[in-house]
Amino acid sequence: MSIRKTTRFTAGLPGWAGASALSALLLASTALPGAADEALADLVEEVGPSVVTILATQEATTEPASMKGRGMENHPFGEFFRQFGMPEGMKPGPQGPKQGLGSGFILEEDGLIVTNHHVIDGADTVTVRLADDREFEATIVGADPLTDLAVLQIEADGPLPAVDLGDSDVIRVGEDVVAVGNPFGLSSTVTTGIVSAKGRNISEGPYADFLQTDAAINKGNSGGPLFNMDGEVVGVNSAIYSPTGGSVGLGFAVTSNIVDTIVADLVDDGRVDRGWLGVSIQNVSPDIAAAIGLDGAKGALVSDVVTDSPADGALKSGDVIVSFDGKPVKSSADLPRLVGATKTGTDSKIEVIRNGEPEQVTITIGTHQLAQAQVEPQIDETSGKQMGVTVAPLTDTARAEIGVSKDVSGVVVTSLNQDGAAAKAGLRVGDVIVKLGSQETETPKELKAALKNEKTDPALVLVNRGGNQLFVAVEIA
């Protein structure tokens, strides 16, 4: 309670009565922080043992061929070196193992652990260090780059201290939150703050929903929990905005409700099967709202409907989607998250404004193949050969998304390890890998087999990018 408020409250009291009331109120206000501090300390003591350190190790490698021409842009053969490597005498030596560090938390007593996808992406081994300094090698149950979440499993001697997920929908802006993690390798670091904003879109993909907090989050906090004052996880700390690399009070956490959905899907079969409508959408501007007779700029405007998609015949270009399964669609950013989190095969009720009149349609949600978090063949455990890619089958849906014709066969790249050989060779998300060496790669298993059997290093990879074919040389050993 501020002194200014107290002074106004006691201004009408005469003499010592006013002074006594003021003293009592000031004493009460100074007692409150102590009680709050004690409650915070109790919370940290309770949840601290559930927060873990994640050590992600990438084995020693020789610098990829795609890097061997870096820094030679002005050399007459710079492009040739970039694509196919330098002469033997100019080649760099092997690089030592790389180790990344992040945070995570125990969600189940049997050793189920949640962290960020980017913490373990491209790792050959993942080690989990508990709060009591015990270490366990972890198995990657599944990972989803589109929400930056990953699930690990460790086998301990007995039950582990687990935490519960809270409801991120009910937490309010201004509520106190606590971040626990390992910034800069300093384990069990606790920072406090408030929820600064909800529903943040930080351009990390259409399926993630973020809480913004001013609790200090730094490098190494990634994957760690953001707690409410009941000791429930309301978010997974995933990103910061910083011009300096350090905390400036702008941290972002994937909401616990997204975590709940994604973790359940990954535990089920190791991948995320996202719901799909098959529409192109855009925001409703005030001008568009006025033109179509809407009461305010809200909803998601359907600009196109994909042929033979779930929405084909049910939705039309010009419809404005304002509600999905009873949840409001305030902008176009809301719809992909709501649809993506819906189980495929579900009959969903969608409210639209069509020609100025409200209507309701029911659509059976399909599966978005391109968005599936399919890990194989990111790492070939048998041969140790690695490209650093996540791929999925090339379906009709994927063809429509990336603009390749039906006569193209291959697997589509859904994510890349930015330190991996494929990314450094110039591959992009949405590229179709048609061949590796002389072997066609129509399925993820065929790509894995081609990686295992390829004798040439770097390997010549044929890629289709938006209907155009090109070759790239990728270091695979």
Side-chain angles (χ1 to χ4, degrees):
M1 182 177 293
S2 69
I3 294 177
R4 179 177 298 175
K5 288 183 179 178
T6 305
T7 303
R8 287 200 300 268
F9 182 80
T10 60
L13 296 176
W16 286 104
S20 298
L22 173 60
S23 299
L25 286 168
L26 286 175
L27 285 172
S29 67
T30 56
L32 287 175
D37 290 345
E38 187 174 344
L40 178 59
D42 289 343
L43 184 151
V44 172
E45 189 174 299
E46 179 184 352
V47 302
S50 302
V51 182
V52 302
T53 302
I54 308 294
L55 303 168
T57 304
Q58 195 173 42
E59 300 302 330
T61 60
T62 300
E63 188 173 12
S66 58
M67 293 293 290
K68 296 173 185 174
R70 292 288 177 90
M72 303 193 69
E73 290 81 1
N74 297 323
H75 193 285
F77 296 104
E79 178 62 21
F80 179 84
F81 290 158
R82 190 186 73 79
Q83 290 287 337
F84 299 103
M86 295 182 188
E88 194 65 35
M90 299 174 65
K91 292 181 179 180
Q95 299 176 333
K98 296 180 181 178
Q99 189 172 73
L101 183 144
S103 305
F105 59 93
I106 302 168
L107 188 60
E108 300 288 347
E109 290 182 343
D110 64 358
L112 195 72
I113 291 169
V114 177
T115 186
N116 279 145
H117 167 265
H118 77 259
V119 170
I120 56 93
D121 188 26
D124 292 288
T125 58
V126 178
T127 302
V128 173
R129 181 186 297 154
L130 303 183
D132 60 10
D133 287 333
R134 287 185 294 163
E135 292 189 356
F136 300 89
E137 187 168 334
T139 301
I140 300 176
V141 175
D144 180 36
L146 297 181
T147 54
D148 196 20
L149 294 171
V151 179
L152 312 177
Q153 181 72 54
I154 62 173
E155 300 297 332
D157 299 333
L160 299 174
V163 289
D164 295 323
L165 293 178
D167 187 349
S168 52
D169 283 348
V170 302
I171 196 166
R172 298 181 298 167
V173 173
E175 283 195 39
D176 292 328
V177 286
V178 178
V180 186
N182 311 293
F184 306 111
L186 301 170
S187 61
S188 303
T189 296
V190 179
T191 56
T192 62
I194 62 169
V195 176
S196 304
K198 296 178 64 175
R200 285 299 197 209
N201 181 354
I202 61 172
S203 301
E204 289 294 320
Y207 301 108
D209 190 21
F210 292 89
L211 295 176
Q212 181 184 326
T213 177
D214 66 351
I217 295 172
N218 290 285
K219 187 175 182 180
N221 272 114
S222 290
L226 186 71
F227 292 102
N228 63 18
M229 298 310 293
D230 291 326
E232 299 169 327
V233 177
V234 292
V236 176
N237 300 316
S238 299
I240 62 171
Y241 174 79
S242 173
T244 63
S247 174
V248 294
L250 290 172
F252 301 93
V254 180
T255 60
S256 57
N257 288 358
I258 293 288
V259 175
D260 190 26
T261 300
I262 297 300
V263 168
D265 218 351
L266 291 176
V267 169
D268 181 41
D269 60 4
R271 67 182 190 181
V272 177
D273 295 317
R274 284 191 165 82
W276 179 58
L277 267 182
V279 294
S280 297
I281 55 175
Q282 65 185 77
N283 274 330
V284 178
S285 67
D287 290 342
I288 292 176
I292 61 180
L294 263 184
D295 182 21
K298 60 183 179 182
L301 175 62
V302 177
S303 57
D304 193 18
V305 179
V306 177
T307 303
D308 295 329
S309 70
D312 192 12
L315 294 175
K316 301 178 180 179
S317 178
D319 285 349
V320 178
I321 299 173
V322 295
S323 174
F324 181 88
D325 275 342
K327 297 180 179 179
V329 177
K330 297 178 182 178
S331 70
S332 61
D334 293 336
L335 188 63
R337 290 195 291 266
L338 294 171
V339 176
T342 303
K343 187 176 181 179
T344 59
T346 301
D347 289 336
S348 294
K349 292 181 172 57
I350 301 173
E351 293 184 23
V352 303
I353 304 297
R354 178 177 295 168
N355 300 323
E357 299 294 330
E359 290 193 26
Q360 181 172 287
V361 297
T362 299
I363 296 178
T364 302
I365 302 301
T367 302
H368 199 315
Q369 296 288 343
L370 185 59
Q372 289 181 1
Q374 188 162 334
V375 176
E376 183 183 41
Q378 186 173 2
I379 297 174
D380 187 327
E381 299 289 355
T382 302
S383 67
K385 293 179 179 179
Q386 177 179 338
M387 285 185 69
V389 294
T390 302
V391 299
L394 182 58
T395 63
D396 290 340
T397 300
R399 294 178 193 279
E401 292 277 347
I402 61 180
V404 298
S405 61
K406 290 186 176 181
D407 59 354
V408 176
S409 298
V411 291
V412 62
V413 176
T414 58
S415 73
L416 288 160
N417 172 9
Q418 293 306 314
D419 291 326
K424 291 173 180 176
L427 265 72
R428 305 173 185 173
V429 172
D431 284 350
V432 177
I433 300 175
V434 178
K435 280 186 179 181
L436 191 146
S438 61
Q439 298 184 59
E440 295 183 349
T441 54
E442 295 189 10
T443 67
K445 287 186 178 180
E446 288 184 1
L447 177 59
K448 185 174 181 177
L451 281 168
K452 185 175 181 179
N453 298 328
E454 180 61 27
K455 304 300 182 184
T456 303
D457 196 13
L460 197 61
V461 179
L462 179 61
V463 172
N464 189 296
R465 180 175 294 162
N468 299 312
Q469 295 203 150
L470 67 154
F471 285 101
V472 293
V474 180
E475 187 87 13
I476 60 173

